[in-house]
Amino acid sequence: MALRRRVLLSLLLLLLLPLLSYRILAVELTSTNMHPVVQEFQRAELSCLIATTNTAHPRIEWKKIGKETSYVFYGGKMQGTWVNRAQLHSRTSLIIFNVTREDKGIYRCEVVAPEDQNIGAEININLTVHVKPVAPRCRVPQSVPVGKSATLYCQEKEGFPEPTYTWYRNSEPLPMDSKSSPKFQNSSFTINTKTGTLAFSEVQKGDTGRYHCIASNNVGSAQCEEQEMEVYDLNIAGIIGGVLVVLLVLLLITVGICCAYRKGVFVINKQNGNSYKTPAKPDGVNYIRTDEEGDFRHKSSFVI
Ligand SMILES: *[C@@H]1O[C@H](CO)[C@@H](O)[C@H](O)[C@H]1NC(C)=O
Ligand SMILES: *[C@@H]1O[C@H](CO)[C@@H](O)[C@H](O)[C@H]1NC(C)=O
Ligand SMILES: *[C@@H]1O[C@H](CO)[C@@H](O)[C@H](O)[C@H]1NC(C)=O
């Protein structure tokens, strides 16, 4: 019985030994956070930890991977712009004291351990930098006639993650859809919180007011200055009245010119009419039709 047990145990050891030795001889890396997310101007820790190694002094390198891969830590020291901005922590992790938006990206932690079976290992850390929005750019039409459509724009381009937008009228927040709130029953607008547009399908008198917008994401928010939108009546009665007055004036002028003209013609006729009539065209057809005569006389008056 004892022999059998021993044989079994040795067999088991024989099976496990290569696995165990492989594990012991391999350099292995882990990370407590492969996707750190930090706010701009804060400290970032890029965690890279040696889980197993046989090598007493493994070589450690950090690179920033991108269009151009560059060394962050190499040859036992920080490189280039990183000299005063970063340092190693717990032997292999990288601390960046004051990250900026340009620091986002993939960082590769590489460890070379010559005394291990597989002499190298690497791990990629994806650093995300969140950025507060700055004051958005807002466009509000100054004046819009009642019943027309109108669109107000709000846009912010620095914030990351991309901000969402809320609109305010006279410092009061507006719902995404005017129809969703009894308070805004008389309005007809919708807000796109992703693009920042506030669109009125038909502007009403009550939509007059001071508008502003706030762009916000998980790290902050910023607003644009209030801008006034005025809604005016397209005064139909006034317009018709105005048109009528213009027409009346035009009519009076026309009548005036006509009268003056007729008088003028009459005078010319007195002077020339006889001399025209006395030579007397033999047919005299023209003289029977008075309107023709008028035409004729007009022409003659121009000629003379
Ligand atoms: C962090 O970096 C920014 C821009 O490089 C700089 O304006 C700011 O003063 C720095 N903050 C600290 C605490 O060093
Ligand atoms: C890094 O993280 C960002 C944000 O989550 C993601 O968009 C990007 O695809 C990631 N990059 C890689 C190489 O995984
Ligand atoms: C909407 O308009 C009606 C009629 O003009 C008015 O009686 C009502 O008070 C208005 N409602 C709001 C919320 O302004």
Side-chain angles (χ1 to χ4, degrees):
M1 279 299 255
L3 189 78
R4 242 177 115 173
R5 202 186 276 167
R6 221 190 252 163
V7 167
L8 258 171
L9 215 87
S10 348
L11 257 169
L12 206 73
L13 260 172
L14 247 144
L15 273 169
L16 280 175
L17 208 63
L19 275 173
L20 281 172
S21 68
Y22 178 80
R23 272 197 71 81
I24 287 162
L25 291 173
V27 56
E28 261 181 36
L29 301 179
T30 61
S31 175
T32 57
N33 186 2
M34 308 244 314
H35 196 158
V37 178
V38 291
Q39 277 186 47
E40 194 172 33
F41 309 129
Q42 292 197 343
R43 196 180 100 115
E45 180 176 345
L46 280 54
S47 160
C48 172
L49 302 168
I50 297 174
T52 60
T53 186
N54 254 357
T55 310
H57 302 286
R59 211 167 73 221
I60 293 141
E61 289 172 10
W62 275 94
K63 285 178 191 156
K64 186 163 190 232
I65 311 295
K67 272 177 251 157
E68 293 170 37
T69 295
S70 58
Y71 277 111
V72 177
F73 184 83
Y74 178 77
K77 38 184 203 288
M78 290 293 158
Q79 301 293 316
T81 58
W82 299 95
V83 170
N84 294 313
R85 299 188 50 217
Q87 70 181 38
L88 285 199
H89 171 70
S90 318
R91 194 151 89 154
T92 37
S93 290
L94 183 72
I95 302 279
I96 305 172
F97 301 126
N98 181 10
V99 293
T100 66
R101 59 196 76 182
E102 281 84 34
D103 293 334
K104 75 165 183 342
I106 309 292
Y107 292 78
R108 181 170 297 159
C109 172
E110 286 179 20
V111 173
V112 179
E115 289 143 50
D116 287 71
Q117 190 178 321
N118 63 329
I119 64 161
E122 60 182 44
I123 196 168
N124 284 343
I125 307 293
N126 186 353
L127 173 67
T128 298
V129 178
H130 282 178
V131 180
K132 280 182 193 165
V134 296
R137 238 170 59 86
C138 295
R139 278 187 291 147
V140 176
Q142 274 185 352
S143 60
V144 188
V146 166
K148 292 285 177 213
S149 65
T151 309
L152 285 64
Y153 300 91
C154 179
Q155 216 173 28
E156 197 279 337
K157 286 181 172 160
E158 304 286 318
F160 183 83
E162 278 184 16
T164 55
Y165 301 93
T166 43
W167 275 97
Y168 292 76
R169 173 162 72 210
N170 304 327
S171 304
E172 198 182 349
L174 300 178
M176 275 172 69
D177 189 335
S178 57
K179 296 284 163 281
S180 70
S181 161
K183 204 170 179 181
F184 298 96
Q185 281 300 292
N186 293 349
S187 280
S188 61
F189 62 78
T190 53
I191 293 172
N192 186 327
T193 57
K194 283 215 166 69
T195 61
T197 55
L198 162 55
F200 290 94
S201 56
E202 261 182 58
V203 164
Q204 297 306 321
K205 210 68 176 143
D207 295 325
T208 292
R210 288 166 288 110
Y211 287 84
H212 79 272
C213 151
I214 297 183
S216 51
N217 64 13
N218 60 325
V219 284
S221 63
Q223 67 182 73
C224 63
E225 274 191 27
E226 274 189 336
Q227 291 176 49
E228 179 92 26
M229 183 174 85
E230 192 206 340
V231 180
Y232 61 91
D233 273 319
L234 252 187
N235 192 341
I236 301 293
I239 288 169
I240 291 173
V243 167
L244 281 180
V245 166
V246 169
L247 283 179
L248 198 71
V249 168
L250 280 176
L251 194 73
L252 284 174
I253 290 171
T254 315
V255 167
I257 288 173
C258 263
C259 288
Y261 198 46
R262 284 223 172 147
K263 255 187 191 166
V265 167
F266 188 59
V267 169
I268 289 161
N269 269 348
K270 262 199 177 165
Q271 289 172 344
N272 300 334
N274 284 345
S275 59
Y276 253 95
K277 275 181 186 173
T278 34
K281 288 186 182 173
D283 47 17
V285 176
N286 278 341
Y287 300 103
I288 295 157
R289 289 204 228 146
T290 47
D291 50 338
E292 285 275 358
E293 207 172 10
D295 269 359
F296 190 71
R297 277 171 182 171
H298 278 209
K299 274 176 197 161
S300 68
S301 70
F302 271 116
V303 171
I304 292 158

